[in-house]
Amino acid sequence: MACSYLGPCFLLICSSLAPFVSGSQIQRTSLPIISFDEGYTQLFGDDNLVMYRDGKRVHLSLDERTGSGFVSQDLYLHGYFSASIKLPADYTAGVVVAFYMSNGDMFEKNHDEIDFEFLGNIRGKDWRIQTNIYGNGSTSAGREERYSLWFDPSDDFHQYSILWTNSQIIFYVDNIPIREVKRTESMGGDFPSKPMSLYATIWDGSDWATNGGKYRVNYKYAPYVAEFSDLVLHGCAVDPVEQFPRCDNTESSQAIPTGVTPVQRIKMESFRAKFMTYSYCYDRVRYRAPPSECVINTKEADRLKSYDPVTFGGGRRHHGKRHHRSRSSHAEVISI
């Protein structure tokens, strides 16, 4: 059965976002929300994973004993995967919350991965988002991007989603696409192409997560709690033994979207031009020429070069004070 026969995947984008709109007010997809027990099982953390009475909301916590996490019951080959997440507040340096797909337990040396990673910070500094993809164990290549946000992700729930097909991967925040990776022939096995499970975890990443390990987790602020709700698992489930996809082909099913719409692209370009703080595509220290899948945007290039002229421009770093926008100006930028 072809994997294009997935259920409806309506990627609804608000025509405009009012400043500081809460996660609960953002327009959602029409895909069904499942209970935790319908699609997931605990991965680790003992009683650091707590399920709410409705069965559709869980929280993961990190303390001195352990972090915690959960994993999907099925493997998937392509689909749309989503969760609304509220991150820990206050001092969160060293804390990593991850929402990602991986098959590292099955393919130790040639695994695939699609990552949302949320990196904590010291008090008064914002959470940062990092996205990344690996294919066939290509961890040495590195396809990271990092961003700031136009809202505080610890104030309310916000939706984070992954669309994965055989030709592209799109990351969304509150249904706004923030990154699009199109498969190219030269990528070869570097594009994720094997069945993966979906994971959510919170853990101590003190060695690298905040300023390269300068600021570490301080457990006097523990427990650090990340809350998850609006869980969506909508894709091609795969038999773990036979590796054969079982795709939903009900009467209401529609083909998965073929790409970013014009309205979505305007939103994505606005976001990336203002909030992206790192992209491997523009890293002239790591890559003399951009990898084949990179689509160079002059606005993105100019902003990153001014942000870090050594990494993104091959120039000499200036040590003057950087100007940091407030969240209110962030909100104005994303309202188109």
Side-chain angles (χ1 to χ4, degrees):
M1 187 180 298
C3 283
S4 60
Y5 293 106
L6 300 176
C9 193
F10 304 119
L11 306 179
L12 303 177
I13 304 296
C14 301
S15 59
S16 64
L17 288 176
F20 300 109
V21 68
S22 70
S24 60
Q25 293 173 299
I26 296 295
Q27 191 173 10
R28 303 296 182 186
T29 69
S30 60
L31 296 172
I33 294 171
I34 63 171
S35 68
F36 181 83
D37 287 339
E38 282 182 280
Y40 293 96
T41 187
Q42 183 166 2
L43 180 65
F44 71 102
D46 300 323
D47 56 359
N48 279 16
L49 184 153
V50 176
M51 187 188 311
Y52 288 75
R53 289 183 179 179
D54 64 3
K56 294 185 177 181
R57 184 171 161 187
V58 297
H59 81 228
L60 300 177
S61 62
L62 166 69
D63 57 28
E64 290 179 305
R65 298 179 302 111
T66 182
S68 52
F70 58 85
V71 60
S72 62
Q73 297 171 14
D74 289 325
L75 290 163
Y76 294 91
L77 182 63
H78 309 142
Y80 180 83
F81 311 94
S82 182
S84 292
I85 305 171
K86 183 179 179 182
L87 298 174
D90 201 16
Y91 181 98
T92 55
V95 177
V96 178
V97 176
F99 180 67
Y100 66 104
M101 304 192 74
S102 178
N103 50 31
D105 57 337
M106 298 178 62
F107 303 97
E108 185 176 346
K109 295 184 179 180
N110 62 333
H111 82 287
D112 303 324
E113 202 164 302
I114 303 173
D115 297 338
F116 261 119
E117 292 177 309
F118 306 91
L119 311 178
N121 219 326
I122 59 175
R123 184 180 286 125
K125 299 291 185 179
D126 298 332
W127 280 86
R128 293 140 305 140
I129 293 183
Q130 177 168 288
T131 61
N132 205 351
I133 68 165
Y134 299 120
N136 232 22
S138 59
T139 55
S140 60
R143 289 178 166 85
E144 306 97 330
E145 288 191 350
R146 286 190 290 274
Y147 328 87
S148 56
L149 291 167
W150 68 96
F151 55 82
D152 183 344
S154 67
D155 276 349
D156 202 351
F157 285 91
H158 291 268
Q159 187 180 24
Y160 305 92
S161 311
I162 296 167
L163 175 65
W164 173 39
T165 75
N166 64 350
S167 61
Q168 65 183 343
I169 296 165
I170 304 174
F171 296 86
Y172 300 84
V173 175
D174 284 340
N175 287 323
I176 296 174
I178 65 168
R179 180 180 183 183
E180 176 186 35
V181 181
K182 291 187 175 180
R183 186 176 196 166
T184 62
E185 185 176 351
S186 59
M187 286 182 75
D190 284 4
F191 188 89
S193 57
K194 299 187 290 293
M196 292 188 279
S197 301
L198 191 74
Y199 294 83
T201 57
I202 185 170
W203 49 284
D204 186 331
S206 290
D207 290 342
W208 67 276
T210 308
N211 286 40
K214 180 179 179 180
Y215 301 103
R216 306 179 68 83
V217 173
N218 187 336
Y219 284 103
K220 78 176 185 179
Y221 298 104
Y224 297 97
V225 178
E227 299 180 73
F228 292 77
S229 66
D230 298 338
L231 304 172
V232 174
L233 283 172
H234 195 77
C236 263
V238 173
D239 185 291
V241 177
E242 297 181 1
Q243 297 286 295
F244 186 80
R246 307 185 303 276
C247 299
D248 182 11
N249 190 21
T250 63
E251 293 183 3
S252 62
S253 295
Q254 296 181 6
I256 204 164
T258 57
V260 177
T261 69
V263 172
Q264 290 171 328
R265 191 164 299 281
I266 291 172
K267 293 286 188 180
M268 181 171 69
E269 290 177 355
S270 176
F271 173 88
R272 294 175 63 82
K274 300 299 180 181
F275 300 111
M276 185 167 66
T277 59
Y278 177 85
S279 173
Y280 75 104
C281 287
Y282 303 97
D283 190 332
R284 294 181 60 179
V285 175
R286 292 172 67 183
Y287 299 102
R288 299 184 67 178
S292 64
E293 71 275 10
C294 292
V295 178
I296 301 303
N297 180 295
T298 55
K299 290 182 180 180
E300 294 175 6
D302 290 344
R303 180 178 185 274
L304 290 175
K305 186 175 180 180
S306 65
Y307 183 80
D308 186 341
V310 174
T311 301
F312 302 114
R316 181 173 298 175
R317 190 184 303 277
H318 298 285
H319 295 286
K321 292 184 179 179
R322 292 175 182 163
H323 172 68
H324 296 278
R325 288 188 177 92
S326 67
R327 282 202 189 96
S328 59
S329 62
H330 284 181
E332 292 169 2
V333 170
I334 205 68
S335 300
I336 299 173

